[in-house]
Amino acid sequence: MKKIRLYLVMLLLGVLAIRVLWELVTPLIPVLVVALILVTGVGFLYHRSSRW
């Protein structure tokens, strides 16, 4: 019984940690998408301009 309770407590802590991380990351998703688009665009332009 003690082992099952310990397992349930660890599972609950894991779920809470994932929820907190999700709440922290969710507002940053648009910023990350815009940054990825900018880096991809600049990299593509640099690649085109530096080709032989």
Side-chain angles (χ1 to χ4, degrees):
M1 187 68 184
K2 196 172 186 182
K3 206 170 194 177
I4 294 173
R5 192 175 350 154
L6 181 65
Y7 177 73
L8 287 174
V9 168
M10 292 299 290
L11 189 66
L12 183 64
L13 286 174
V15 169
L16 284 174
I18 291 171
R19 295 264 321 195
V20 169
L21 283 174
W22 180 250
E23 293 295 324
L24 290 174
V25 169
T26 305
L28 298 176
I29 289 176
V31 175
L32 292 174
V33 169
V34 169
L36 183 66
I37 291 171
L38 283 175
V39 168
T40 304
V42 169
F44 177 73
L45 291 175
Y46 175 76
H47 174 71
R48 282 193 51 152
S49 67
S50 65
R51 281 193 304 187
W52 290 100

